[in-house]
Every structure is written in C-alpha cells, then in structure tokens.
Amino acid sequence: MNKKCDIIKDLLPLYAENMCSSDSRQMVAEHIAECESCRNELKKINTDVAIQADSDVSMFKRIKKRARIEKVVISIVSIVFICTAMFMTVFILSNTTNSMNYEKYNMEKYVKVEEDADGKLWLCTYDQASSYDFAYPTVWDSDGNEIGDEAFNNDEKDCYGVTLYRFRINDIFKVVVPSQEKRTPLLNTNKTNIQSVVYYDAKTGEKHTLWERG
Ligand SMILES: [Zn+2]
C-alpha cells in the first residue's frame, strides 16, 4: 500500500457520499480504476452506507409501528373505560330508587285504598301511579313511632303507610304505563287496629291520608 492509497482511502468516504470536489473525484476515480485495494475499500464503504440507510428506515418503521400500537392500546383502554362507566351508570340507576312524589304523580287522583266486604284493604293505583316498580310499607303507632310492618301493635291504633318506588332509570326516562290499573292487597290479614292508611313520601317525609276507618 503506497502513500497515494492512504490519501485516496481518506477521500473514499466523501467520494462514496458524493461530497468531494470534482478534482478529488476525478483523482479517486482514476486511482480506483487501477488499484484493487482501494476499489475493495470503496465497495466496503458503499455496503456500510447501504446498511446504515437500511437501519435508519427500519428504525423509522419501528417508531411508526410503536406509535400505531400505542394508539390502538389507548383506543382500547378508552373504549373499555367508557363502556365500564356507562355500565356502572346504568347499573346504579337500575338499582337505586326514588320514592314517587305525591304531587308529581297525582297520587290524590290516582291512588285509592278500598276496604272489601271482609274488611281487607286493597291498594288501587291508576294511570301514572301504576308505573311504580314496588311498594313498601311503613307502620306507625298512635304516637307516630315507626313499628315493624309485621309487628302490628294490637292495643294501639296504628297508621299504615305505603310508599311507591320507581327505579331511577325509569324516572329519568319517564317510563309510564298510562291507563293501567293495579290492584294489590295492602294487608294480607284484616287488622282492625289499622285506623288510617297514608301515602308516605320517603324522600320528603310527608304523609298524605288515603283512607280512614269510618
Ligand atoms: Zn490504492
């Protein structure tokens, strides 16, 4: 390897990248035409440049692919989160209740308590008042103390309260069954100590008389 080869080899990287002056370029071209060692060196450099370019492209592809995967993961997580939130909301609204407001549902007009010939009391609801999901009783003694609905106080003149509840989801979507009539026994046995039946709005605590023993 002579001194000229050293100079040419210094120039080869620039030559490979097309970055040297036209004089140097010509000098290198002339030299490699007759020097095998420098020709091989140039081949090696060209291969390295190609590999470098390839790895740049594959790195770019990797970054792009990772960005795409991140996007998909974020989308999936968001969808799962939104679905869970929606499911929880529906679940909560379907499992919590509102006591039906006396005025709002026109209870005065649409709720009646009837006593049949056997002295049994029936709860009769009409129209929008029939849209309740369940009824729940409360019993008070003559002093207004709440007593269990099974534990009627036979010596006292008890007051029987009934509350109609709607699931909140039905309240929000205003599910009503218009013109429907429901007739359910208020009490399964004849309790003569029951002196009055009231509609009890559990939310406001208000009692509205529905029936009084005549
Ligand atoms: Zn050479």
Side-chain angles (χ1 to χ4, degrees):
M1 199 184 290
N2 56 37
K3 211 174 168 200
K4 179 105 192 235
C5 285
D6 283 346
I7 296 168
I8 295 297
K9 277 179 182 159
D10 281 347
L11 285 172
L12 282 178
L14 294 173
Y15 179 84
E17 301 257 19
N18 229 338
M19 283 166 69
C20 53
S21 69
S22 58
D23 285 348
S24 307
R25 206 174 163 70
Q26 197 185 342
M27 186 175 78
V28 172
E30 280 167 6
H31 180 81
I32 56 175
E34 51 201 40
C35 173
E36 199 188 346
S37 161
C38 287
R39 206 159 48 235
N40 287 339
E41 184 69 18
L42 177 64
K43 252 187 219 160
K44 218 180 112 203
I45 289 171
N46 279 337
T47 314
D48 285 353
V49 166
I51 289 171
Q52 179 63 39
D54 262 11
S55 80
D56 282 356
V57 166
S58 72
M59 188 168 77
F60 177 70
K61 277 184 180 164
R62 262 206 316 277
I63 290 171
K64 222 172 140 189
K65 192 176 170 190
R66 198 190 307 160
R68 207 163 50 223
I69 290 171
E70 276 173 8
K71 233 182 196 172
V72 169
V73 168
I74 289 169
S75 302
I76 291 172
V77 168
S78 305
I79 289 168
V80 168
F81 179 79
I82 291 167
C83 288
T84 307
M86 281 169 67
F87 177 79
M88 288 301 288
T89 306
V90 170
F91 182 80
I92 289 167
L93 293 179
S94 307
N95 283 280
T96 53
T97 53
N98 279 339
S99 60
M100 292 168 73
N101 183 268
Y102 189 82
E103 279 83 23
K104 184 181 167 189
Y105 288 95
N106 257 315
M107 299 293 184
E108 192 181 9
K109 205 171 157 189
Y110 297 127
V111 180
K112 304 267 183 269
V113 169
E114 286 171 10
E115 185 182 9
D116 66 16
D118 302 327
K120 237 172 135 181
L121 296 175
W122 295 77
L123 176 71
C124 308
T125 57
Y126 308 90
D127 213 295
Q128 53 187 334
S130 285
S131 67
Y132 67 88
D133 293 303
F134 62 93
Y136 195 79
T138 314
V139 185
W140 297 271
D141 65 18
S142 56
D143 296 325
N145 301 314
E146 202 177 313
I147 55 175
D149 102 79
E150 296 300 324
F152 288 104
N153 191 341
N154 287 318
D155 300 324
E156 300 287 342
K157 300 190 180 316
D158 299 333
C159 169
Y160 187 95
V162 61
T163 308
L164 302 179
Y165 288 90
R166 276 161 64 87
F167 289 113
R168 281 171 67 195
I169 198 156
N170 290 341
D171 233 12
I172 288 167
F173 293 106
K174 305 200 184 313
V175 177
V176 288
V177 196
S179 307
Q180 201 189 336
E181 185 185 336
K182 281 188 195 171
R183 190 178 156 87
T184 50
L186 197 58
L187 294 165
N188 288 321
T189 53
N190 177 6
K191 300 273 189 181
T192 51
N193 52 313
I194 292 290
Q195 293 304 303
S196 62
V197 177
V198 298
Y199 182 77
Y200 174 58
D201 188 331
K203 199 172 178 183
T204 61
E206 288 167 9
K207 294 176 187 172
H208 305 269
T209 304
L210 296 173
W211 174 88
E212 277 179 302
R213 192 171 292 285

